C-alpha cells in the first residue's frame, strides 16, 4: 500500500501534512488478516485547535468566492475521486474489510455527493418577500454557517466524509474532519485528492487521534458553528450535549433498527433479493441494514426457504478476493454482539437454520446466520445487531405489524414488500421512519434526503435539502420611506 501516493500516514491541517506535536502515533490494522497497515498521528486538543484556527482563517476567502468557483473546485475533486477509484477502493477494503466490489460501489456513491453538491452550490437562492406595509422591502439571504466539525464512522470510510464535506464546502463553510480511528486512510486519501483539486489550505482539514480529546475541542471551541456526526446514538447524544453550551447547529445520523416487512402478496424473489441487499451489504454493518424481518404467516416458510438458499450462497472471505461477498466484522466486540443476539434468541425459543457461530476462517469472520420464529421480546428486536444475522419474526395482521415495526426508539429506515397500492400508502404513512423502501432494499442515493427521526437523528444529508444544514437564513428589512 505504501506504493500509492494516496496512502498518507500524516494528518492534514492548514494545507500541510502533519505529525502529532508529541510525535505519538496509532497503529492501523487490516481486519481481515490482523496485519498492520501503517500508522497515523495520535493528535489531541491542541492540534485540533490549530485545525479549527486554520478553518476559521480560511473561511472569509472561501465563503467570498462566487459559488461557481467553489463548484469548479468541487467538480475537480469529483473527477479526481473517479480517476483514482480503484486505488481508493483498495485502501478501503484493506482498512475496513468490505469486499472490493462494495468498496468500489462506495467510492462511486461517495463521489456522487461531491458531483451533486458541486451543482447545488450554484442554486442557493434567496427570496424577496411581499411586505405587509408600504415602503418596505423584505429580503431573505442564505449564508454559510461557518466552521464545520465532521465526525464520521468506520462502516462507510469514504462516503460519510463526502456526504458531509461536499455540501459544507459548497455552501461556503470550511471543515475540520475527525475520521473513525479504524479507517483514517480513506479520509487522508480524500484530503490528498482535495489538495490536488485545488481546494485551498485550511478549507478542509483532517485530524486523527484521540476521539474524546478531538471531539471535546470540536464541540467546545466557539469558532465551530456546526457539528455533523454519523455514528452510534450513545455518542451522538453525548456530542449533542457538548454542543449545547454554544448552541451549535447539529446534524446527527445515528443508529437504526430497520424492520423489513414481507406481506402475503409480495413478490418473494424480489423480497429475497432486497433482503440480501438490505441485510448482508457490508456484512450487516450499516445503519440502514434490516435488523428485523416480519414475515406474514401465509408465506413464512416459503420466504424462509428462499432466503436460506440465497444466503447459503454468500462467500465469506478476505474482501480482496474477487469471489468474496461477506468480509470480516470490524472487531472482536462486533462478533460478541452478534453472538449475544443469537444466543439470546435461541434461549427464548428461536430456531437456528443457518450459521450461528464464528466462521472457520477465524479472526473476525462470522457465518451468515438465519433464525426462525424469533419471539418479539428477543434482544435483537430492540437492539441494532450490526452483523450478518437475519431474525425472522411472524405476523398475521397489518395493524399488528405496524405496531411491532414502530415499537422501537429508532426511526431511520424501513422496508415493505407488497403489491397492494392502498397498503403501500397506508404503510408509508404509518411507519415512523425517515426513509421507507417499498419493494426495494437499496434506498440511498445523492438525490434523496437521507436521515432519521426519533433516536436515529436530526437533519438530512444528500438531496436539495442537504445543503440547508450548512446555511443560515438571514432576513433583511429595508425601509424605503
Ligand atoms: P462505533 O462504536 O461504531 O465506533 P461511535 O459512535 O463510537 O460508533 O463512533 C463514531 C465516530 O465517533 C468515530 O469517529 C469515533 O471515533 C467518534 N467518537 C466516539 N466517541 C467520541 C467522543 N467522545 N467524542 C468525539 N468523537 C467520538
Amino acid at each position: 500500500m505504501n506504493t500509492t501516493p494516496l496512502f498518507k500516514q500524516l494528518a492534514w491541517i492548514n494545507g500541510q501534512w502533519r505529525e502529532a506535536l508529541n510525535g505519538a502515533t496509532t497503529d492501523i490494522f487490516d481486519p481481515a488478516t490482523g496485519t498492520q497497515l501503517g500508522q497515523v498521528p495520535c493528535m489531541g486538543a491542541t492540534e485540533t485547535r490549530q485545525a479549527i484556527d486554520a478553518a476559521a482563517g480560511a473561511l472569509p476567502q472561501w465563503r467570498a468566492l462566487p459559488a461557481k468557483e467553489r463548484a469548479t473546485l468541487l467538480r475537480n475533486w469529483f473527477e479526481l475521486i473517479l480517476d483514482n477509484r480503484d486505488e481508493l477502493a483498495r485502501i478501503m477494503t484493506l482498512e475496513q474489510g468490505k469486499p472490493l466490489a462494495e468498496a468500489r460501489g462506495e467510492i462511486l456513491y461517495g463521489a456522487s455527493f461531491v458531483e451533486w453538491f458541486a451543482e447545488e452550490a450554484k442554486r442557493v437562492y434567496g427570496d424577496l418577500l411581499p411586505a405587509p406595509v408600504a415602503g418596505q422591502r423584505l429580503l431573505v439571504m442564505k449564508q454559510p454557517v461557518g466552521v464545520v466539525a465532521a465526525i464520521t464512522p468506520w462502516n462507510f470510510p469514504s462516503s460519510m466524509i463526502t456526504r458531509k464535506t461536499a455540501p459544507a464546502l459548497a455552501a461556503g463553510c470550511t471543515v475540520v474532519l475527525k475520521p473513525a480511528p479504524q479507517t483514517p486512510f480513506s479520509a487522508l486519501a480524500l484530503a490528498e485528492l482535495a489538495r490536488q483539486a485545488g481546494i485551498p489550505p485550511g478549507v478542509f482539514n483532517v485530524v486523527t487521534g484521540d476521539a474524546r480529546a478531538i471531539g471535546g475541542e470540536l464541540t467546545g471551541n466557539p469558532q465551530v458553528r456546526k457539528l455533523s456526526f454519523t455514528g452510534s446514538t450513545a455518542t451522538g447524544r453525548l456530542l449533542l450535549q457538548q454542543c449545547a453550551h454554544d448552541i451549535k447547529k447539529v446534524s446527527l445520523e445515528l443508529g437504526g433498527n430497520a424492520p423489513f416487512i414481507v406481506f402475503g402478496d409480495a413478490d418473494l424473489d424480489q423480497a429475497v433479493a432486497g433482503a440480501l441487499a438490505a441485510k448482508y451489504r457490508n456484512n450487516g454493518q450499516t445503519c440502514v441494514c434490516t435488523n428485523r424481518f416480519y414475515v406474514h404467516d401465509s408465506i413464512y416458510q416459503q420466504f424462509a426457504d428462499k432466503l436460506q438458499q440465497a444466503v447459503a450462497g454468500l462467500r465469506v472471505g478476505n474482501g480482496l478476493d474477487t469471489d468474496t461477498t461477506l468480509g470480516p466484522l470490524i472487531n472482536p466486540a462486533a462478533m460478541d454482539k452478534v453472538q449475544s443476539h443469537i444466543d439470546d434468541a435461541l434461549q427464548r425459543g428461536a430456531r437456528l437454520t443457518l450459521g450461528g457461530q464464528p466462521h472457520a476462517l477465524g479472526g473476525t469472520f462470522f457465518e451468515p446466520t438465519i433464525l426462525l420464529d424469533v419471539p418479539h421480546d428477543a434482544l435483537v428486536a430492540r437492539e441494532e445487531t450490526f452483523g450478518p444475522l437475519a431474525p425472522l419474526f411472524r405476523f398475521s395482521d397489518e395493524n399488528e405489524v405496524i405496531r411491532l415495526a414502530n415499537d422501537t426508539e429508532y426511526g431511520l429506515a424501513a422496508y415493505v414488500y407488497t403489491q397492494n397500492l392502498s397498503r403501500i400508502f397506508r404503510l408509508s404513512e404509518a411507519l415512523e421512519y425517515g426513509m421507507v423502501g417499498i419493494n426495494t432494499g437499496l434506498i440511498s442515493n445523492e438525490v434523496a434526503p437521507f436521515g432519521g427521526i426519533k433516536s436515529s437523528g436530526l437533519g438530512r444529508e444528500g438531496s436539495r435539502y442537504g445543503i440547508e444544514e450548512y446555511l443560515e437564513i438571514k432576513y433583511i428589512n429595508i425601509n424605503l420611506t
Side-chain angles (χ1 to χ4, degrees):
M1 198 149 87
N2 280 319
T3 52
T4 163
L6 294 185
F7 181 67
K8 297 289 181 193
Q9 302 191 69
L10 296 169
W12 178 244
I13 297 174
N14 204 15
Q16 289 176 335
W17 294 108
R18 288 264 314 267
E19 290 182 10
L21 288 170
N22 64 2
T25 57
T26 312
D27 296 337
I28 308 299
F29 298 93
D30 177 348
T33 62
T35 53
Q36 189 181 332
L37 297 170
Q39 46 186 218
V40 291
C42 184
M43 295 179 154
T46 309
E47 295 93 332
T48 308
R49 201 170 310 130
Q50 292 172 347
I52 294 168
D53 288 343
L59 183 65
Q61 274 195 320
W62 181 250
R63 99 182 135 198
L65 279 183
K68 193 177 162 75
E69 288 180 34
R70 288 197 300 270
T72 302
L73 295 174
L74 284 169
R75 181 86 208 174
N76 293 347
W77 196 24
F78 164 69
E79 304 281 355
L80 283 162
I81 294 170
L82 287 194
D83 291 349
N84 291 279
R85 68 179 155 216
D86 289 342
E87 221 33 64
L88 292 168
R90 209 179 125 71
I91 291 172
M92 189 189 301
T93 293
L94 282 167
E95 67 180 355
Q96 200 271 348
K98 67 177 66 181
L100 209 44
E102 280 191 40
R104 281 205 195 94
E106 184 186 333
I107 297 300
L108 295 183
Y109 170 68
S112 74
F113 292 104
V114 184
E115 181 186 42
W116 172 262
F117 285 110
E119 294 157 353
E120 288 298 286
K122 295 177 276 188
R123 299 189 186 111
V124 175
Y125 300 114
D127 261 325
L128 178 60
L129 310 178
V133 290
Q136 290 191 345
R137 299 294 181 270
L138 313 186
L139 309 185
V140 171
M141 62 170 70
K142 303 226 179 129
Q143 294 184 309
V145 292
V147 175
V148 170
I151 300 180
T152 53
W154 51 264
N155 60 343
F156 288 96
S158 189
S159 59
M160 293 305 99
I161 292 171
T162 56
R163 201 161 79 177
K164 297 181 189 312
T165 305
L169 299 190
C173 299
T174 54
V175 175
V176 179
L177 166 76
K178 190 203 88 60
Q182 299 88 343
T183 58
F185 295 127
S186 293
L188 296 169
L190 284 173
E192 167 59 14
L193 293 176
R195 183 193 70 76
Q196 291 179 21
I199 291 175
V203 170
F204 176 47
N205 307 275
V206 182
V207 181
T208 56
D210 179 352
R212 269 196 213 171
I214 297 172
E217 183 63 29
L218 289 175
T219 52
N221 190 315
Q223 293 186 96
V224 175
R225 292 311 318 153
K226 155 106 198 175
L227 169 74
S228 180
F229 170 76
T230 298
S232 63
T233 295
T235 302
R237 201 171 269 135
L238 177 76
L239 294 173
L240 183 60
Q241 278 168 357
Q242 290 178 196
C243 284
H245 182 267
D246 290 340
I247 322 286
K248 295 189 202 302
K249 243 171 129 78
V250 177
S251 298
L252 303 172
E253 301 287 354
L254 308 176
N257 182 5
F260 186 107
I261 306 171
V262 189
F263 282 95
D265 65 349
D267 175 334
L268 292 191
D269 291 325
Q270 192 183 44
V272 167
L276 282 192
K279 176 70 248 183
Y280 291 99
R281 192 164 56 102
N282 205 7
N283 211 358
Q285 304 174 107
T286 90
C287 49
V288 291
C289 271
T290 297
N291 211 52
R292 303 170 282 156
F293 287 89
Y294 291 108
V295 185
H296 193 264
D297 263 335
S298 61
I299 42 98
Y300 191 87
Q301 198 55 47
Q302 225 184 326
F303 176 79
D305 291 344
K306 279 177 183 280
L307 183 67
Q308 178 158 346
Q309 206 184 357
V311 175
L314 296 175
R315 279 267 322 227
V316 178
N318 188 318
L320 292 179
D321 299 338
T322 45
D323 51 359
T324 292
T325 43
L326 290 184
L329 288 169
I330 191 70
N331 57 29
M335 306 267 288
D336 294 345
K337 179 119 198 223
V338 179
Q339 192 71 63
S340 72
H341 281 187
I342 294 170
D343 294 347
D344 169 80
L346 290 175
Q347 264 170 23
R348 292 173 199 261
R351 290 187 289 131
L352 180 73
T353 63
L354 192 73
Q357 58 187 7
H359 194 276
L361 282 172
T364 56
F365 292 100
F366 204 97
E367 292 180 349
T369 299
I370 298 179
L371 290 172
L372 299 189
D373 294 327
V374 180
H376 294 296
D377 60 354
L379 206 53
V380 67
R382 296 195 302 276
E383 286 182 7
E384 195 174 25
T385 309
F386 242 58
L389 162 62
L392 271 59
F393 302 82
R394 271 181 199 273
F395 78 93
S396 53
D397 168 77
E398 184 178 312
N399 287 329
E400 174 199 11
V401 80
I402 290 171
R403 186 183 55 74
L404 289 166
N406 287 340
D407 185 18
T408 168
E409 67 169 302
Y410 297 106
L412 191 58
Y415 307 90
V416 179
Y417 279 75
T418 177
Q419 302 292 322
N420 180 320
L421 185 60
S422 307
R423 184 182 280 144
I424 287 174
F425 272 93
R426 284 197 302 272
L427 268 285
S428 299
E429 289 165 16
L431 288 171
E432 294 165 0
Y433 288 84
M435 300 175 283
V436 181
I438 306 285
N439 295 328
T440 177
L442 278 181
I443 51 176
S444 181
N445 57 60
E446 77 279 19
V447 175
F450 188 103
I453 61 172
K454 294 160 76 178
S455 296
S456 289
L458 291 174
R460 293 295 179 271
E461 295 194 310
S463 81
R464 70 189 172 91
Y465 306 104
I467 199 164
E468 299 289 337
E469 305 275 330
Y470 299 92
L471 294 166
E472 292 283 14
I473 287 178
K474 183 180 281 176
Y475 155 58
I476 300 145
N477 184 326
I478 306 175
N479 182 359
L480 301 175
T481 59

Tab-separated table of all heavy atoms in Angstrom, residues 45 48-49 52-53 55-56 59 145-149 176 214-227 242-249 472:
chain	number	residue	atom	x	y	z
A	45	ALA	N	-6.248	17.801	21.656
A	45	ALA	CA	-6.962	19.081	21.612
A	45	ALA	C	-6.134	20.191	20.953
A	45	ALA	O	-6.671	21.014	20.205
A	45	ALA	CB	-7.355	19.492	23.028
A	48	THR	N	-6.109	19.956	17.249
A	48	THR	CA	-7.486	20.216	16.782
A	48	THR	C	-7.760	21.719	16.773
A	48	THR	O	-8.358	22.248	15.825
A	48	THR	CB	-8.508	19.488	17.692
A	48	THR	OG1	-8.127	18.124	17.775
A	48	THR	CG2	-9.915	19.603	17.135
A	49	ARG	N	-7.287	22.390	17.827
A	49	ARG	CA	-7.457	23.851	17.893
A	49	ARG	C	-6.735	24.513	16.717
A	49	ARG	O	-7.244	25.449	16.107
A	49	ARG	CB	-6.897	24.368	19.232
A	49	ARG	CG	-7.451	25.726	19.636
A	49	ARG	CD	-7.053	26.058	21.073
A	49	ARG	NE	-7.342	24.979	21.989
A	49	ARG	CZ	-6.471	24.465	22.877
A	49	ARG	NH1	-5.254	24.957	22.987
A	49	ARG	NH2	-6.814	23.474	23.662
A	52	ILE	N	-8.870	24.081	13.723
A	52	ILE	CA	-10.035	24.984	13.774
A	52	ILE	C	-9.595	26.415	13.431
A	52	ILE	O	-10.273	27.120	12.670
A	52	ILE	CB	-10.707	24.924	15.170
A	52	ILE	CG1	-11.302	23.533	15.407
A	52	ILE	CG2	-11.781	26.005	15.296
A	52	ILE	CD1	-11.728	23.279	16.859
A	53	ASP	N	-8.453	26.822	13.981
A	53	ASP	CA	-7.929	28.168	13.664
A	53	ASP	C	-7.685	28.284	12.151
A	53	ASP	O	-7.976	29.323	11.543
A	53	ASP	CB	-6.621	28.438	14.420
A	53	ASP	CG	-6.858	28.666	15.912
A	53	ASP	OD1	-8.015	28.935	16.294
A	53	ASP	OD2	-5.887	28.536	16.694
A	55	ALA	N	-9.202	26.581	9.778
A	55	ALA	CA	-10.504	26.620	9.097
A	55	ALA	C	-11.148	28.000	9.248
A	55	ALA	O	-11.746	28.534	8.308
A	55	ALA	CB	-11.412	25.532	9.650
A	56	ALA	N	-11.008	28.580	10.443
A	56	ALA	CA	-11.576	29.914	10.676
A	56	ALA	C	-10.826	30.954	9.837
A	56	ALA	O	-11.437	31.887	9.291
A	56	ALA	CB	-11.503	30.267	12.158
A	59	LEU	N	-11.913	30.762	6.199
A	59	LEU	CA	-13.349	30.967	5.945
A	59	LEU	C	-13.683	32.244	5.151
A	59	LEU	O	-14.437	32.161	4.172
A	59	LEU	CB	-14.098	30.944	7.290
A	59	LEU	CG	-15.619	31.078	7.220
A	59	LEU	CD1	-16.248	29.876	6.525
A	59	LEU	CD2	-16.194	31.218	8.637
A	145	VAL	N	-22.885	28.654	7.520
A	145	VAL	CA	-22.881	28.732	8.983
A	145	VAL	C	-21.508	29.057	9.534
A	145	VAL	O	-21.400	29.637	10.606
A	145	VAL	CB	-23.396	27.440	9.669
A	145	VAL	CG1	-24.869	27.230	9.429
A	145	VAL	CG2	-22.619	26.226	9.259
A	146	GLY	N	-20.443	28.677	8.828
A	146	GLY	CA	-19.094	28.970	9.318
A	146	GLY	C	-18.247	27.720	9.354
A	146	GLY	O	-18.341	26.872	8.472
A	147	VAL	N	-17.437	27.594	10.406
A	147	VAL	CA	-16.560	26.417	10.518
A	147	VAL	C	-17.409	25.206	10.940
A	147	VAL	O	-18.173	25.274	11.897
A	147	VAL	CB	-15.438	26.660	11.545
A	147	VAL	CG1	-14.613	25.390	11.746
A	147	VAL	CG2	-14.549	27.819	11.093
A	148	VAL	N	-17.235	24.112	10.201
A	148	VAL	CA	-17.996	22.893	10.450
A	148	VAL	C	-17.064	21.808	10.994
A	148	VAL	O	-15.971	21.596	10.459
A	148	VAL	CB	-18.648	22.386	9.143
A	148	VAL	CG1	-19.238	20.984	9.320
A	148	VAL	CG2	-19.710	23.370	8.659
A	149	ALA	N	-17.520	21.116	12.045
A	149	ALA	CA	-16.819	19.916	12.523
A	149	ALA	C	-17.570	18.704	12.004
A	149	ALA	O	-18.798	18.655	12.096
A	149	ALA	CB	-16.796	19.899	14.046
A	176	VAL	N	-13.372	20.860	9.578
A	176	VAL	CA	-12.377	20.045	10.292
A	176	VAL	C	-13.014	18.674	10.495
A	176	VAL	O	-14.059	18.568	11.134
A	176	VAL	CB	-11.996	20.646	11.661
A	176	VAL	CG1	-10.993	19.742	12.366
A	176	VAL	CG2	-11.446	22.050	11.489
A	214	ILE	N	-10.228	15.202	20.712
A	214	ILE	CA	-10.552	15.935	19.480
A	214	ILE	C	-12.015	16.372	19.520
A	214	ILE	O	-12.348	17.526	19.234
A	214	ILE	CB	-10.269	15.053	18.236
A	214	ILE	CG1	-8.778	14.719	18.156
A	214	ILE	CG2	-10.732	15.763	16.959
A	214	ILE	CD1	-8.423	13.694	17.082
A	215	GLY	N	-12.885	15.433	19.921
A	215	GLY	CA	-14.320	15.743	19.996
A	215	GLY	C	-14.607	16.840	21.007
A	215	GLY	O	-15.460	17.699	20.781
A	216	GLY	N	-13.867	16.818	22.112
A	216	GLY	CA	-14.069	17.843	23.140
A	216	GLY	C	-13.746	19.231	22.602
A	216	GLY	O	-14.479	20.202	22.849
A	217	GLU	N	-12.659	19.316	21.836
A	217	GLU	CA	-12.275	20.616	21.270
A	217	GLU	C	-13.255	21.035	20.162
A	217	GLU	O	-13.667	22.199	20.085
A	217	GLU	CB	-10.835	20.538	20.720
A	217	GLU	CG	-10.296	21.854	20.180
A	217	GLU	CD	-10.171	22.951	21.245
A	217	GLU	OE1	-9.953	22.621	22.438
A	217	GLU	OE2	-10.317	24.138	20.880
A	218	LEU	N	-13.624	20.084	19.313
A	218	LEU	CA	-14.534	20.411	18.201
A	218	LEU	C	-15.880	20.927	18.722
A	218	LEU	O	-16.482	21.826	18.138
A	218	LEU	CB	-14.769	19.181	17.307
A	218	LEU	CG	-13.598	18.732	16.429
A	218	LEU	CD1	-13.937	17.435	15.705
A	218	LEU	CD2	-13.208	19.822	15.419
A	219	THR	N	-16.345	20.324	19.828
A	219	THR	CA	-17.657	20.736	20.340
A	219	THR	C	-17.543	21.909	21.311
A	219	THR	O	-18.513	22.643	21.507
A	219	THR	CB	-18.366	19.562	21.050
A	219	THR	OG1	-17.465	19.015	22.027
A	219	THR	CG2	-18.756	18.477	20.057
A	220	GLY	N	-16.342	22.090	21.906
A	220	GLY	CA	-16.185	23.143	22.906
A	220	GLY	C	-15.657	24.453	22.348
A	220	GLY	O	-15.764	25.501	22.997
A	221	ASN	N	-15.089	24.436	21.171
A	221	ASN	CA	-14.483	25.646	20.604
A	221	ASN	C	-15.570	26.520	19.960
A	221	ASN	O	-16.265	26.075	19.046
A	221	ASN	CB	-13.447	25.224	19.552
A	221	ASN	CG	-12.606	26.384	19.075
A	221	ASN	OD1	-13.131	27.462	18.790
A	221	ASN	ND2	-11.300	26.172	18.978
A	222	PRO	N	-15.713	27.754	20.446
A	222	PRO	CA	-16.820	28.591	19.942
A	222	PRO	C	-16.680	28.979	18.469
A	222	PRO	O	-17.666	29.410	17.854
A	222	PRO	CB	-16.772	29.835	20.844
A	222	PRO	CG	-15.439	29.808	21.502
A	222	PRO	CD	-14.952	28.400	21.519
A	223	GLN	N	-15.477	28.821	17.890
A	223	GLN	CA	-15.339	29.143	16.457
A	223	GLN	C	-16.084	28.127	15.579
A	223	GLN	O	-16.437	28.429	14.441
A	223	GLN	CB	-13.864	29.130	16.051
A	223	GLN	CG	-13.049	30.237	16.698
A	223	GLN	CD	-11.640	30.243	16.134
A	223	GLN	OE1	-11.349	30.994	15.213
A	223	GLN	NE2	-10.780	29.416	16.674
A	224	VAL	N	-16.281	26.905	16.110
A	224	VAL	CA	-17.017	25.890	15.347
A	224	VAL	C	-18.507	26.183	15.501
A	224	VAL	O	-19.018	26.286	16.615
A	224	VAL	CB	-16.700	24.466	15.876
A	224	VAL	CG1	-17.563	23.432	15.174
A	224	VAL	CG2	-15.223	24.158	15.693
A	225	ARG	N	-19.202	26.349	14.369
A	225	ARG	CA	-20.616	26.732	14.446
A	225	ARG	C	-21.559	25.585	14.129
A	225	ARG	O	-22.777	25.731	14.225
A	225	ARG	CB	-20.901	27.909	13.490
A	225	ARG	CG	-20.262	29.233	13.858
A	225	ARG	CD	-20.451	29.666	15.327
A	225	ARG	NE	-21.798	29.438	15.835
A	225	ARG	CZ	-22.099	29.226	17.114
A	225	ARG	NH1	-21.178	29.217	18.043
A	225	ARG	NH2	-23.348	29.025	17.479
A	226	LYS	N	-20.990	24.448	13.724
A	226	LYS	CA	-21.871	23.355	13.317
A	226	LYS	C	-21.142	22.029	13.501
A	226	LYS	O	-19.954	21.920	13.190
A	226	LYS	CB	-22.220	23.553	11.832
A	226	LYS	CG	-22.607	22.311	11.087
A	226	LYS	CD	-24.078	22.270	10.820
A	226	LYS	CE	-24.513	20.868	10.480
A	226	LYS	NZ	-25.941	20.749	10.335
A	227	LEU	N	-21.873	21.030	14.007
A	227	LEU	CA	-21.320	19.672	14.074
A	227	LEU	C	-22.192	18.768	13.218
A	227	LEU	O	-23.416	18.769	13.353
A	227	LEU	CB	-21.339	19.148	15.513
A	227	LEU	CG	-21.024	17.650	15.624
A	227	LEU	CD1	-19.537	17.378	15.409
A	227	LEU	CD2	-21.471	17.083	16.964
A	242	GLN	N	-22.634	18.180	24.392
A	242	GLN	CA	-21.425	19.020	24.386
A	242	GLN	C	-21.629	20.259	23.512
A	242	GLN	O	-21.011	21.289	23.755
A	242	GLN	CB	-20.221	18.205	23.901
A	242	GLN	CG	-19.780	17.148	24.902
A	242	GLN	CD	-18.614	16.287	24.454
A	242	GLN	OE1	-18.362	15.245	25.036
A	242	GLN	NE2	-17.902	16.675	23.413
A	243	CYS	N	-22.477	20.145	22.498
A	243	CYS	CA	-22.725	21.289	21.611
A	243	CYS	C	-23.744	22.265	22.205
A	243	CYS	O	-23.949	23.353	21.668
A	243	CYS	CB	-23.237	20.807	20.255
A	243	CYS	SG	-21.931	20.116	19.243
A	244	ALA	N	-24.387	21.855	23.294
A	244	ALA	CA	-25.462	22.677	23.858
A	244	ALA	C	-24.925	24.016	24.352
A	244	ALA	O	-25.573	25.050	24.202
A	244	ALA	CB	-26.156	21.924	24.992
A	245	HIS	N	-23.719	24.020	24.918
A	245	HIS	CA	-23.213	25.246	25.527
A	245	HIS	C	-23.175	26.401	24.534
A	245	HIS	O	-23.643	27.502	24.816
A	245	HIS	CB	-21.836	25.028	26.147
A	245	HIS	CG	-21.313	26.260	26.817
A	245	HIS	ND1	-20.510	27.176	26.175
A	245	HIS	CD2	-21.544	26.756	28.049
A	245	HIS	CE1	-20.256	28.177	26.992
A	245	HIS	NE2	-20.871	27.940	28.138
A	246	ASP	N	-22.623	26.146	23.345
A	246	ASP	CA	-22.510	27.219	22.337
A	246	ASP	C	-23.726	27.268	21.413
A	246	ASP	O	-23.725	28.026	20.443
A	246	ASP	CB	-21.282	26.988	21.449
A	246	ASP	CG	-19.987	27.199	22.199
A	246	ASP	OD1	-20.016	27.877	23.238
A	246	ASP	OD2	-18.952	26.680	21.739
A	247	ILE	N	-24.725	26.447	21.671
A	247	ILE	CA	-25.913	26.356	20.796
A	247	ILE	C	-25.450	26.183	19.334
A	247	ILE	O	-25.850	26.913	18.433
A	247	ILE	CB	-26.840	27.592	20.921
A	247	ILE	CG1	-26.921	28.099	22.361
A	247	ILE	CG2	-28.220	27.296	20.342
A	247	ILE	CD1	-27.732	27.268	23.305
A	248	LYS	N	-24.577	25.217	19.128
A	248	LYS	CA	-24.128	24.954	17.752
A	248	LYS	C	-25.252	24.283	16.979
A	248	LYS	O	-26.059	23.552	17.557
A	248	LYS	CB	-22.921	24.008	17.761
A	248	LYS	CG	-21.676	24.591	18.406
A	248	LYS	CD	-20.495	23.676	18.163
A	248	LYS	CE	-19.361	23.840	19.156
A	248	LYS	NZ	-18.773	25.160	19.272
A	249	LYS	N	-25.250	24.501	15.677
A	249	LYS	CA	-26.152	23.733	14.814
A	249	LYS	C	-25.652	22.291	14.791
A	249	LYS	O	-24.438	22.062	14.725
A	249	LYS	CB	-26.049	24.284	13.383
A	249	LYS	CG	-27.304	24.889	12.829
A	249	LYS	CD	-26.958	25.585	11.509
A	249	LYS	CE	-27.879	25.161	10.398
A	249	LYS	NZ	-29.190	25.796	10.427
A	472	GLU	N	-27.339	29.385	7.052
A	472	GLU	CA	-28.206	30.145	7.955
A	472	GLU	C	-29.091	31.043	7.110
A	472	GLU	O	-28.667	31.523	6.056
A	472	GLU	CB	-27.367	31.050	8.883
A	472	GLU	CG	-26.519	30.322	9.891
A	472	GLU	CD	-27.311	29.792	11.081
A	472	GLU	OE1	-28.554	29.744	11.018
A	472	GLU	OE2	-26.659	29.405	12.064
